[in-house]
Amino acid sequence: MSTTTTELLKGAAELFPDEVVTRALVRHLDLPFGAGRFALVTLDNGLDHTKPTTFGPQSLANLNAAIDQVEQEALAGSIVGAGLTGKPFIFAVGADLKGVELLKKHDEALAIGKGGHDVFKRLAALAVPTFAYYNGAAMGGGVEVGLHCTYRTVSKAIPAFSLPEVFLGLVPGWGGCALLPNLIGADRAVSVIIENSLNQNRQLKGKQVFELGIADALFDGADFLEQSLLWTARVLNGTTEVVRDEIDRGEAWDAAVARGRFIADSKVHGAAPAAYRALEIIEAAKDGDLQKGFDAEDTALADLIMGGELRSGIYAFNLVQKRAKRPAGAPDKNLARPVTKVGVVGAGLMASQLALLFLRRLEVPVVLTDIDQERVDKGVGYVHAEIQKLLGKGRINQDKANRLTALVTGVLDKAEGFADADFIIEAVFEEMSVKQKVFAEVEAVAPAHAILATNTSSLSVSEMASKLQHPERVVGFHFFNPVAILPLLEIVRGEQTDDASLATAFGVARKLKKTAVLTKDAPAFVVNRILTRFMGEIQNVIDEGTPVVTAEKAIEPLGLPMSPLVLLELVGPAIGLHVSETLNRAFPERFTVSPNLAAVVKAGKRGFYVYNAENGFKPELDPEVAALLVQGDVVLTEEQVRDRVLDAVAQEIGLMLEEGVVAEAQDIDLCLITGAGWPFHLGGVTPYLDREGVSERVNGKKFLAPGVASVPA
């Protein structure tokens, strides 16, 4: 490693005194079949698998020192090969992002890129073959260090393998963009680096890693290292030959890069630079000049580390990985009561999805009720059918399928179903009088300790509980659709909800594996309030005269998962109208009810768009909807629309924080990421509003302190 890089890495280490340091431990063994003496390097931070191994500056220096030793042994002829593996369940999960957050200067960021390259490249330059044994979770730099080796094996038991950098706002900067396409071809590399990252950081399993050609051999987890070493011996003594597919460096390479750009455009619409920088490096790697690729990775990495998107991405990552596990304002978990049976009021699609989730996660009896036997049977039938699907896919075995099937039942009589239930959730029609009637009926038959939860999306939990004898046990428990996919659960504290009920709700949320955020009992809570203001402003500009296509395109630079009117279609225009009416009653000065949306709902239309094969199923304004629209003559540009929408969102978030709807802006962002799929490169939304100057323009101040989701001053 060059003196300059050594000094820069040393400087980076000084900036990061709290690094969890990974050691690189060298041991020697004699390979079977007389293959010779072998050096095995184990990456280990001395902690269990819940604290994955990472590469900070000192960790890179430790690996470099281990390679010094192995290099001398290889030159002396005392070893025939060297291998790299990890501690139990973990290979390595890449750069330590806590250190990246601290970097303030471009040359500090450049040192991290160059330092990683300079260390990892030495594995490829050793005088003996090198082997990476992916024994456990491998991400980012953990994947890349293995790509520098001559050969790789992978465990069938690996739960997660990925290059997630683009997802966070980076590029695979320690060899991934240059090496991977030269190993498995550009198209497969684009899938791993671009497509998987932009699909919510999709992970690969061991078998997929092998099938893609990233690994040369696949072994069971139980004796993975032993089998890998046997295979290594056979490779070294020539009895096993590793054959890899020839790389197509012609039109297929160009087509892969073009496909990557199409994916990036469809996901982030040019709003985040990371995917495009990664594609530029993949494109340039076509001629096989690895050093040129490494240099390009260094530059891209440093540029992106000093950019707002990465800081927002790390901020979002920390919210999802850390803040989500310690919900702000949650009561002492020791106050939570056990839940041994769950009741669900309603047997429609939402109620049935909830029943399935409670059944799978809690594995306790779940009973559904509804107003007639046909609906009850349909709800229970849905759950039974989903269990059979899980069995068919091999997700559960026959014994578990039988057990789960037996645990879910349906009855008409609430007294029969709920007399011994600990947690009862309603998912009935979104009408206050209906919900109050349901809760009165449930309270009359449920045990005194039972939690009464509502899945309302916008109605007052306090008002819902106001006519009960024990309003203190009513809690909002708002899921997002589809229930099985979106992680967010808004837990709403009513005016009289007590700590024990709230603690029990949070305990159930943990068992459901949901991201729970505590919210005040305010109209539409968090996500629906922000989205309704956001959508409302879009509808306002359309009603005033701006063409639908202009209003939609105005939002593309945010890189949201879908356009506003496509989202409306997913939610359902009738539900969107209902929530806007609820918020209009609460805040008439800011929330409008669009007459055009009302007309679309009255006409029974499912959305603003139609889709047909002739245009590749792209959304086109439905002619029948176009005929319904009554517009004014005020036509805004895309930039004017965007400013109005962002100003409205910034204003609403500012007011929500003043009202104490949630503890901090971080909770707003966590809700938008986990409940609405807003992208990491926005950090949810408040870092973006701060970065674009919207927060100060509207509220006179930024939402977040300097250095939070931004480069430290």
Side-chain angles (χ1 to χ4, degrees), residues 26-32 35-42 73 78-81 83 85 133 225-226 228-230 232-233 236:
V26 184
R27 61 189 174 103
H28 297 88
L29 46 97
D30 292 319
L31 292 172
R37 191 164 180 261
F38 189 77
L40 182 64
V41 181
T42 302
E73 293 169 350
S78 63
I79 57 170
V80 294
T85 193
Y133 306 131
L225 188 56
E226 292 88 339
S228 292
L229 291 169
L230 286 169
T232 297
L236 289 172

Side-chain angles (χ1 to χ4, degrees), residues 159-429:
F161 183 105
S162 64
L163 289 171
E165 287 85 351
V166 166
F167 176 66
L168 294 172
L170 279 174
V171 297
W174 285 342
C177 289
L179 289 169
L180 193 63
N182 279 290
L183 175 67
I184 63 173
D187 195 62
R188 289 177 169 183
V190 162
S191 293
V192 175
I193 295 169
I194 307 296
E195 188 171 20
N196 289 357
S197 287
L198 293 180
N199 278 319
Q200 294 300 308
N201 193 19
R202 183 190 293 157
Q203 300 293 314
L204 298 170
K205 305 291 186 186
K207 187 167 180 273
Q208 294 169 300
V209 173
F210 172 67
E211 289 171 348
L212 282 167
I214 300 171
D216 302 301
L218 175 71
F219 299 114
D220 286 330
D223 58 350
F224 170 72
L225 188 56
E226 292 88 339
Q227 291 299 320
S228 292
L229 291 169
L230 286 169
W231 180 84
T232 297
R234 288 193 289 268
V235 170
L236 289 172
N237 67 21
T239 57
T240 292
E241 183 184 0
V242 174
V243 179
R244 297 182 182 139
D245 294 338
E246 189 175 340
I247 303 301
D248 187 334
R249 299 183 186 279
E251 290 181 7
W253 195 291
D254 299 334
V257 172
R259 183 174 76 88
R261 288 211 172 90
F262 176 80
I263 293 166
D265 287 344
S266 66
K267 292 289 184 179
V268 301
H269 307 283
Y276 302 97
R277 294 294 293 267
L279 286 165
E280 287 170 9
I281 301 167
I282 293 170
E283 186 173 36
K286 183 178 178 180
D287 63 4
D289 185 340
L290 295 179
Q291 188 54 53
K292 186 172 73 174
F294 297 161
D295 291 343
E297 287 175 351
D298 288 341
T299 303
L301 199 65
D303 291 348
L304 293 167
I305 284 173
M306 300 313 294
E309 288 82 5
L310 170 67
R311 303 302 171 133
S312 294
I314 295 174
Y315 164 81
F317 183 81
N318 288 336
L319 290 180
V320 171
Q321 294 297 317
K322 296 175 184 175
R323 192 177 183 91
K325 293 177 174 63
R326 294 186 292 275
D332 183 348
K333 63 183 179 183
N334 293 317
L335 296 173
R337 294 190 284 261
V339 173
T340 60
K341 183 178 179 180
V342 173
V344 181
V345 186
L349 181 58
M350 188 66 177
S352 301
Q353 287 183 67
L354 294 181
L356 179 66
L357 179 68
F358 279 94
L359 182 69
R360 288 196 65 201
R361 297 289 186 229
L362 272 61
E363 295 191 24
V364 299
V366 176
V367 59
L368 296 94
T369 68
D370 213 312
I371 57 174
D372 59 53
Q373 192 64 46
E374 184 182 349
R375 294 182 198 216
V376 170
D377 291 344
K378 186 177 180 183
V380 173
Y382 168 87
V383 179
H384 285 172
E386 291 299 310
I387 293 168
Q388 287 303 307
K389 286 180 188 175
L390 292 169
L391 177 64
K393 292 175 181 176
R395 303 274 294 278
I396 56 175
N397 60 28
Q398 186 66 59
D399 284 347
K400 188 160 188 178
N402 293 343
R403 191 165 69 253
L404 292 178
T405 300
L407 284 171
V408 63
T409 56
V411 295
L412 282 176
D413 184 0
K414 291 185 179 68
E416 178 189 345
F418 298 158
D420 57 348
D422 307 300
F423 191 97
I424 301 163
I425 184 166
E426 69 76 23
V428 298
F429 186 67

Side-chain angles (χ1 to χ4, degrees), residues 570-594:
L570 181 70
V571 171
I575 293 173
L577 179 64
H578 172 77
V579 177
S580 68
E581 288 170 340
T582 301
L583 283 160
N584 173 253
R585 287 193 294 272
F587 309 114
E589 69 282 3
R590 299 193 311 279
F591 287 86
T592 57
V593 178
S594 166

